[in-house]
Amino acid sequence: MLYITHTLPLSSTFPTAHHCFLDLETTGLSKQHDFLICLGLASRKGETLYIEQWLLENGSEEKDLLHLLMERLSAYNKIYTYGGKHFEWPFFIEKLQAYGLDSSFLTTCHLVDLKPSKAKRSILEMHIGFHRIQTTSGKELAKLAKLLLQGPNPSYATLILEHNKEELLSLQAIFNYTQFMKQLSPSILQDSHLDTYRVTFTLKPLQLYNTSFKGSHEEEGVAYHYDATTGLMFLYAKARHLQLKAYLPPKDYYFVEGKLLHKSLAKLLPTSMRQKATKDTCYLEQTGYYLPFVFEKDSLIWQDEAKHGYTLYDAPSFEPHLLPLLELLLKKITQKSI
């Protein structure tokens, strides 16, 4: 079994020495038939990132590597992976049980899965500014791993180890990004600006991120941009020009000469002049700029044909909604980004 170590620069947000990043390489996805061939751990050692890698030279060493894994992981109280809940942990547990080794630690330790629910890793890495040197895919790597078990091949071994190291560095970058996003809050608001069709918030994060990035949720008119050179985060909410309806309680309204009139006034008129409003006809209709969010349940809720809720956006009178809008935008970008 090969054992390799690397010492690299440590990010300012790296967790404590009691935490580690974990990644493994296998010959495939089958817990019953495939082998664990490479294991990588990244932890803090002083002020450096300390990477340790173990690479099997033959299949008979797998049990020893699993035993070593349990010994090493027991030193950490928090373990970070990417997709570990659905792959690494089930794979380890199945393997440990097959060899008659104790797997109880894996069910009690604190595993942190850094994989967003629907994100593709390559897209996430591109978004946060992490660039890989090696481009070998998971399927290609599994093929190389199988060939390596059949006999020594320095080139295959190097590719597997380099891929594993980049996976660990990617974990560090994703961790940094998630920590950055989690610290965003209304308390770091530096400025807000309202123009005809867009609200812009400028935030001054206390914790900085080393790469500029941007993202958007087009369906909601939300965009964000972090400028690493200035350390400022910009959030944008774009209003749409629409014709929408706001439905009112029909029991409170009448139609008088084709216009809605509240019952407190309509009842002062002769019965012949007023007509009771119905659920389908009791609404206001207006063309203007709208944001696809609802802030107050007791205010008018404008709706499109699909019944999606909107708030009328008028820059001069929108000031009371600024804080609720900022809170909502922050919630949306953090939920969908981490």
Side-chain angles (χ1 to χ4, degrees):
M1 187 187 310
L2 295 177
Y3 175 63
I4 299 112
T5 63
H6 308 272
T7 302
L8 299 169
L10 182 72
S11 70
S12 58
T13 57
F14 192 88
T16 72
H18 300 295
H19 299 175
C20 73
F21 295 139
L22 169 70
D23 187 73
L24 75 155
E25 312 303 332
T26 68
T27 58
L29 301 178
S30 173
K31 297 185 286 290
Q32 292 78 26
H33 305 296
D34 286 305
F35 284 88
L36 166 63
I37 190 168
C38 180
L39 175 68
L41 282 178
S43 59
R44 183 171 190 155
K45 195 171 184 179
E47 293 305 313
T48 61
L49 178 70
Y50 187 61
I51 293 178
E52 300 174 273
Q53 293 176 290
W54 295 265
L55 181 70
L56 295 192
E57 294 180 284
N58 59 72
S60 64
E61 296 176 326
E62 185 180 48
K63 182 178 179 179
D64 294 334
L65 181 55
L66 287 163
H67 187 268
L68 184 148
L69 170 68
M70 291 299 98
E71 287 186 344
R72 297 292 284 110
L73 289 184
S74 64
Y76 302 104
N77 56 30
K78 191 175 287 188
I79 303 160
Y80 294 87
T81 68
Y82 189 90
K85 290 182 179 178
H86 300 290
F87 180 61
E88 275 91 341
W89 252 230
F91 192 94
F92 285 149
I93 291 172
E94 180 79 20
K95 285 289 183 178
L96 288 165
Q97 292 175 349
Y99 283 113
L101 298 174
D102 184 11
S103 63
S104 58
F105 173 76
L106 296 182
T107 61
T108 58
C109 66
H110 190 171
L111 171 67
V112 181
D113 195 334
L114 292 175
K115 181 180 181 180
S117 57
K118 296 181 180 180
K120 188 175 180 181
R121 190 165 186 169
S122 59
I123 301 298
L124 177 59
E125 289 176 347
M126 183 168 45
H127 171 70
I128 66 176
F130 179 79
H131 303 288
R132 289 177 180 261
I133 298 173
Q134 199 206 108
T135 58
T136 309
S137 70
K139 287 184 178 180
E140 293 170 333
L141 209 72
K143 291 178 182 178
L144 295 180
K146 289 178 180 177
L147 292 172
L148 188 61
L149 287 182
Q150 295 174 15
N153 188 309
S155 296
Y156 294 168
T158 299
L159 284 171
I160 292 169
L161 288 166
E162 284 301 310
H163 177 84
N164 181 255
K165 185 173 75 171
E166 287 201 322
E167 295 280 273
L168 293 170
L169 294 176
S170 167
L171 272 174
Q172 180 184 217
I174 294 169
F175 173 82
N176 293 344
Y177 175 74
T178 57
Q179 293 301 110
F180 174 84
M181 296 300 285
K182 285 178 181 178
Q183 56 122 10
L184 299 179
S185 72
S187 65
I188 59 172
L189 176 66
Q190 187 176 70
D191 185 36
S192 59
H193 177 71
L194 296 83
D195 59 28
T196 305
Y197 64 91
R198 188 173 74 170
V199 182
T200 303
F201 295 104
T202 304
L203 307 179
K204 182 67 174 177
L206 301 177
Q207 175 185 308
L208 304 181
Y209 188 69
N210 59 2
T211 305
S212 298
F213 62 84
K214 59 183 178 180
S216 64
H217 306 298
E218 295 294 338
E219 72 281 3
E220 295 170 329
V222 176
Y224 55 96
H225 168 222
Y226 174 68
D227 185 348
T229 59
T230 62
L232 296 177
M233 181 84 170
F234 302 93
L235 301 182
Y236 310 98
K238 186 177 180 181
R240 305 173 188 173
H241 194 253
L242 301 167
Q243 184 175 1
L244 301 178
K245 297 176 180 178
Y247 286 86
L248 303 170
K251 62 183 180 64
D252 294 336
Y253 289 88
Y254 287 87
F255 275 101
V256 176
E257 295 182 346
K259 295 183 179 180
L260 281 176
L261 191 64
H262 194 269
K263 63 183 180 181
S264 59
L265 296 175
K267 286 185 176 181
L268 300 175
L269 301 174
T271 305
S272 59
M273 291 183 63
R274 64 181 192 252
Q275 180 182 357
K276 188 66 178 173
T278 67
K279 181 180 178 181
D280 295 329
T281 61
C282 192
Y283 62 81
L284 302 176
E285 192 166 24
Q286 183 171 321
T287 299
Y289 285 100
Y290 297 87
L291 291 170
F293 310 113
V294 177
F295 303 108
E296 298 175 5
K297 292 182 179 179
D298 56 349
S299 62
L300 281 179
I301 299 177
W302 298 89
Q303 299 179 348
D304 57 20
E305 293 184 358
K307 303 299 182 184
H308 294 144
Y310 293 76
T311 295
L312 184 64
Y313 175 67
D314 177 56
S317 60
F318 197 76
E319 196 75 27
H321 292 306
L322 280 177
L323 182 58
L325 175 61
L326 176 57
E327 291 173 342
L328 193 151
L329 293 182
L330 288 172
K331 183 177 180 181
K332 284 187 175 295
I333 69 168
T334 52
Q335 281 181 342
K336 293 187 178 183
S337 302
I338 60 177

